[in-house]
């Protein structure tokens, strides 16, 4: 259901809040709402409005965030506050280390009101359930919808209700028709909805690859780097070199650089992995988009236009747009439709603790060591590194999904719970039992060998299934199949693997299970 045009907004509980008579209004801007077009500011008079932005310890430490992620968010917030002031807004900005900072959002709102009077609070709905609960506890607050997305959470719930399967492909086609992106009337451009089958090339060393556009820290960012160094000395991750864009103009330049230098080959190689090549043809802009420095509609239309102008092939344009218009919108819908219980899903009964190697990278498995090292250095890994290396390993080992979720939320600069949690619980760990994904994304070493060169220098043999020299992904994969054979046999996409396991000889099955057991005991 579309919201009617006009000067009124609907709060999540359905109460209508008139904008026409607002005077002496307090607006809270959260750290992932860094756009002047945010709905909480719309229609307000800067002369009658106070804007509050706060860096608080509770938000910085509810998981042990990567230090680069903390520096990015704090610096981007400070740059956005300066942008608002330039536009004429009266901004009160509370830094993390300011004297008197109480350490939480709710208490900082109350502290502001004690200083300036009990102004009514207006805020755009939070992206995370935890923060939404905090805001709902504040007195005299109007919460307005976040319309930066193509579809509201209420519209997604209406689409999802009553469906036996929530397949992203069906949702994606609906949104494509609604928006007209990559459409020719009612038909998809290029003659197909999905070009994923064209996007699975393995990368080779002779490819000419560029790096994402990088930026030298300015005075504000250098101050933030020093503050993070002092306040978060033991957090995971390298803080420097720090090269992220932290201002809107620079984030836009980073996206334009991707479109002109890497987008044309993004489709072909979006699933590929190479040792030492951290970015290949990926955009590496998700942290900017999720913080509000980039606009999803603008990104999709720019790429749509690039295809229509003949600058990029259809598989590249469609592959990029599917990640934003499809997956990003879809997982946000799942998140708000199923929270708060979705965070506790554990359909496979996984219970092992997260192995220490996820923090240290101390493993002889070259693929895992490389992905963890890259994550530590850059607070970044692309979707196949997350899904088919670190995620796949956790799935096969049987790590408790809540622990996997907390790790992903902590270590990546683009990770906010609304986008990270469904990707982890539903896609990576199959903990929702198939609500989001049509099958568990479990794979042996053969997949990693096909899509990367990680195996070439690894001490383990990717061709061996059992024994101390065998690639652990191989015996862990078949051990996973054995543990969940009954469930997997009922899944059309996994039935063949479950049947194959039953055709192994008794001796081979025994060797596989023994290899897995010995490895897991040593891992523990």
């Amino acid at each position: 259901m579309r919201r009617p045009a006009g000067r009124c907004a609907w709060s999540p509980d359905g109460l209508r809040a008139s904008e026409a008579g607002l005077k002496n209004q307090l607006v809270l801007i959260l750290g992932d709402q860094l756009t002047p077009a945010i709905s909480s500011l719309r229609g307000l008079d800067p002369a009658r409005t106070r804007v509050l932005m706060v860096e608080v310890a509770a938000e910085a430490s509810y998981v042990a965030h990567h230090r680069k992620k903390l520096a990015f968010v704090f610096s981007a917030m400070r740059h956005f506050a300066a942008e608002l002031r330039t536009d004429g807004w009266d901004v009160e900005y509370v830094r993390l280390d300011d004297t008197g900072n109480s350490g939480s959002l709710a208490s900082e709102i109350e502290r502001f009101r004690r200083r300036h009077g009990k102004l009514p609070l207006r805020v755009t709905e939070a992206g995370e359930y935890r923060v939404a609960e905090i805001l709902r506890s504040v007195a005299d607050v109007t919460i307005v919808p976040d319309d930066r997305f193509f579809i509201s959470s209420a519209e997604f719930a209406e689409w999802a209700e009553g469906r036996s399967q929530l397949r992203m492909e069906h949702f994606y086609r609906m949104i494509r028709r609604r928006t007209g992106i990559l459409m020719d009337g009612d038909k998809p451009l290029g003659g197909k909805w999905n070009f994923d089958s064209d996007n699975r090339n393995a990368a080779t060393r002779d490819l000419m690859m560029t790096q994402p556009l990088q930026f030298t820290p300015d005075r504000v960012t250098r101050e933030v780097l020093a503050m993070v160094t002092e306040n978060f000395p033991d957090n995971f991750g390298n803080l420097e070199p720090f090269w992220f864009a932290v201002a809107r103009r620079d984030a836009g330049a980073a996206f334009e650089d991707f479109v002109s230098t890497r987008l044309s080959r993004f489709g072909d190689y979006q699933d590929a992995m190479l040792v030492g090549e951290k970015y290949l043809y990926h955009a590496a802009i998700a942290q900017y988009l999720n913080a509000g420095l980039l606009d999803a509609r603008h990104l999709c239309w720019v790429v749509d236009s690039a295809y229509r102008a003949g600058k990029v092939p259809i598989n590249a344009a469609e592959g990029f747009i599917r990640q934003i218009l499809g997956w990003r919108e879809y997982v946000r819908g799942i998140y708000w439709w199923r929270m708060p219980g979705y965070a506790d899903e554990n359909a496979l009964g996984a219970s092992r603790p997260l192995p220490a190697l996820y923090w240290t990278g101390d493993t002889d498995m070259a693929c895992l060591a490389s992905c963890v090292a890259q994550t530590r250095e850059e607070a970044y890994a692309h979707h196949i590194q997350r899904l088919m290396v670190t995620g796949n390993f956790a799935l096969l080992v049987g790590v408790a999904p809540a622990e996997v979720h907390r790790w992903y939320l902590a270590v990546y600069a683009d990770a906010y719970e609304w986008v990270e949690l469904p990707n982890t619980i539903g896609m990576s760990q199959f903990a929702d039992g198939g609500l989001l994904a049509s099958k568990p994304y479990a794979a042996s070493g053969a997949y990693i060998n096909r899509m990367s060169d990680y195996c070439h220098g690894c001490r383990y043999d990717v061709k061996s299934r059992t024994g101390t020299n065998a690639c652990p992904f191989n015996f862990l994969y078949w051990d996973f199949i054995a543990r969940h054979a009954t469930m997997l046999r009922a899944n059309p996409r996994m039935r063949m693997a479950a049947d194959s396991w039953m055709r192994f000889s008794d001796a081979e099955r025994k060797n596989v299970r023994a290899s897995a057991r010995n490895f897991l005991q040593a891992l523990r």
Side-chain angles (χ1 to χ4, degrees), residues 56-57 59-67 70-71 74 96 224-237 239:
V56 291
E59 295 306 304
S61 59
Y62 69 95
V63 293
H65 296 289
H66 195 296
R67 295 197 299 164
L70 290 169
F74 289 148
L96 186 75
V224 169
L225 293 173
M227 186 265 288
V228 171
T229 298
E230 180 177 351
N231 288 275
F232 302 93
D234 299 323
N235 279 43
F236 175 80
L239 186 55

Side-chain angles (χ1 to χ4, degrees), residues 180-233:
I181 293 173
L182 285 186
M183 296 294 292
D184 180 11
D186 289 335
K187 297 180 180 179
L189 289 178
K192 294 194 301 182
W193 291 99
N194 187 318
F195 290 82
D196 195 41
S197 60
D198 298 331
N199 295 346
R200 298 170 182 167
N201 294 352
T204 56
R205 287 287 166 186
D206 58 352
L207 293 172
M208 186 69 69
M209 285 171 280
T210 64
Q211 297 293 308
L213 198 59
Q214 301 188 1
F215 302 88
T216 301
D218 62 6
R219 177 188 58 80
V220 172
T221 300
R222 290 195 300 272
E223 290 176 354
V224 169
L225 293 173
M227 186 265 288
V228 171
T229 298
E230 180 177 351
N231 288 275
F232 302 93

Side-chain angles (χ1 to χ4, degrees), residues 10-12 28-33 38-40 59 62 105 109 121-137 141-149 153 290 332 335-336 339 416-419:
W10 290 90
S11 61
L28 175 68
I29 301 292
L30 301 175
D32 59 353
Q33 298 177 350
I38 197 70
S39 58
S40 55
E59 295 306 304
Y62 69 95
L105 279 175
I109 293 167
L121 176 67
R122 178 181 170 91
V123 60
T124 294
E125 61 184 335
E128 298 189 349
Y129 185 88
R130 173 185 55 81
V131 181
E133 289 288 279
I134 294 171
L135 295 178
R136 281 193 282 265
S137 72
V141 59
T142 297
I143 301 172
V144 295
D146 188 347
D147 55 9
R148 292 176 293 170
F149 296 88
S153 54
N290 292 346
R332 177 177 181 264
Y335 176 82
W336 284 108
M339 283 297 282
Y416 295 86
E417 192 178 71
W418 65 265
V419 66

Side-chain angles (χ1 to χ4, degrees), residues 1-22 25 121-122 140-145:
M1 181 178 68
R2 294 183 182 274
R3 195 174 68 237
R7 298 289 302 277
C8 298
W10 290 90
S11 61
D13 61 1
L15 298 178
R16 195 173 187 179
S18 171
E19 296 176 354
L22 292 175
Q25 177 75 55
L121 176 67
R122 178 181 170 91
D140 195 11
V141 59
T142 297
I143 301 172
V144 295

Side-chain angles (χ1 to χ4, degrees), residues 25-60:
Q25 177 75 55
L26 171 62
V27 174
L28 175 68
I29 301 292
L30 301 175
D32 59 353
Q33 298 177 350
L34 308 182
T35 171
I38 197 70
S39 58
S40 55
L41 294 176
R42 195 171 304 141
L44 301 185
D45 180 357
R48 298 182 176 184
T49 304
R50 302 293 299 273
V51 175
L52 177 63
M53 297 182 67
V54 294
E55 301 169 2
V56 291
E59 295 306 304

Side-chain angles (χ1 to χ4, degrees), residues 79 113 347 368:
H79 281 85
R113 284 170 163 170
L368 272 173

